[in-house]
């Protein structure tokens, strides 16, 4: 969850969502769960931090042969980028939002193979995924649900802690909240 998104509406929703996510992260840490922060395209900001080095130094393993994955079309049209506030695309982010502190023992990575290495090394059998745009990063990044499914890693989407990049001016012409649903 970036510190700023190119879409002002998304930036506002990230802040609202982060306030809801942080208490869950605290509970998960207290229960001994590994927290992986994956703010894409920001790894240079975290270079040589303990959280980044945990990902880089995880024992390397070869992911299993990928399972085929059907990817039906989404129930919304996000071909315009999904911004509901009319902003133009540019790289606005530098790091993860400060509302989600990276604590000792947390990991930072935006690379699917690094995250798979951590999952394998720690014998993690299920991944809970939350964050921002379900129709973009959560599904499609190298660490997203589709890739984890291809590797046979069970994922649970924490649905009420996600958003979508959806513009109500696009099909199916519903509110942003309904498009996210």
């Amino acid at each position: 969850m970036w510190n700023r998104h190119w879409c002002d509406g998304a930036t506002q929703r990230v802040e609202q969502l982060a306030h809801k996510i942080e208490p869950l992260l605290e509970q998960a840490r207290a229960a001994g769960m590994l927290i992986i922060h994956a703010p894409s395209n920001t790894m240079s900001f975290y270079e040589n931090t303990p959280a980044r080095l945990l990902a880089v130094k995880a024992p390397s393993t070869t992911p299993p042969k990928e399972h085929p994955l059907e990817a039906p079309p989404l129930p919304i049209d996000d071909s315009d980028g999904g911004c509901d506030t009319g902003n133009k695309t540019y790289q606005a982010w530098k790091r993860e939002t400060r509302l989600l502190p990276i604590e000792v023992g947390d990991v930072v990575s935006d690379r699917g193979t690094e995250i798979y290495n951590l999952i394998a090394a720690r014998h993690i059998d299920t991944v809970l995924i939350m964050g921002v745009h379900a129709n973009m990063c959560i599904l499609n990044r190298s660490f997203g649900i589709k890739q984890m499914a291809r590797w046979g890693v069970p994922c649970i989407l924490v649905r009420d802690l996600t958003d979508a990049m959806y513009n109500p001016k696009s099909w199916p012409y519903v509110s942003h909240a309904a498009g996210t649903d």
Side-chain angles (χ1 to χ4, degrees):
M1 295 181 61
W2 293 320
N3 62 314
R4 176 148 180 75
H5 197 281
W6 59 268
C7 176
D8 291 340
T11 297
Q12 292 167 3
R13 288 187 300 277
V14 163
E15 183 173 336
Q16 294 166 356
L17 203 53
H19 286 293
K20 294 177 181 178
I21 289 174
E22 180 52 26
L24 179 60
L25 295 182
E26 290 176 18
Q27 291 177 358
R29 282 186 199 99
M33 296 173 77
L34 175 65
I35 307 300
I36 301 173
H37 302 262
S40 300
N41 305 318
T42 65
M43 293 305 101
S44 61
F45 182 87
Y46 296 101
E47 189 175 0
N48 296 318
T49 64
R52 181 74 191 111
L53 293 174
L54 280 173
V56 171
K57 293 181 177 181
S60 184
T61 187
T62 302
K65 182 180 179 206
E66 292 189 4
H67 302 288
L69 179 68
E70 288 188 39
L74 295 173
I76 59 168
D77 177 3
D78 61 5
S79 62
D80 67 352
C83 184
D84 60 338
T85 51
N87 306 99
K88 301 293 182 204
T89 305
Y90 71 100
Q91 185 164 337
W93 54 92
K94 304 268 189 259
R95 56 169 292 156
E96 184 171 80
T97 176
R98 294 178 194 269
L99 298 172
L100 299 175
I102 299 169
E103 302 290 346
V104 173
D106 289 0
V107 174
V108 174
S109 178
D110 66 353
R111 295 181 178 106
T113 52
E114 287 178 354
I115 292 172
Y116 185 82
N117 289 341
L118 289 158
I119 291 167
R122 296 178 185 225
H123 307 286
I124 295 169
D125 60 13
T126 303
V127 174
L128 304 176
I129 297 183
M130 64 191 77
V132 193
H133 305 116
N135 58 321
M136 306 253 174
C137 298
I138 288 175
L139 280 178
N140 298 313
R141 295 283 191 195
S142 67
F143 52 81
I145 289 175
K146 287 181 182 177
Q147 185 58 54
M148 291 298 141
R150 287 182 190 109
W151 286 330
V153 177
C155 295
I156 297 172
L157 177 66
V158 184
R159 177 57 196 89
D160 59 337
L161 295 178
T162 66
D163 186 36
M165 285 300 291
Y166 171 67
N167 180 356
K169 293 179 182 176
S170 297
W171 185 86
Y173 309 106
V174 296
S175 70
H176 180 86
T180 297
D181 288 345

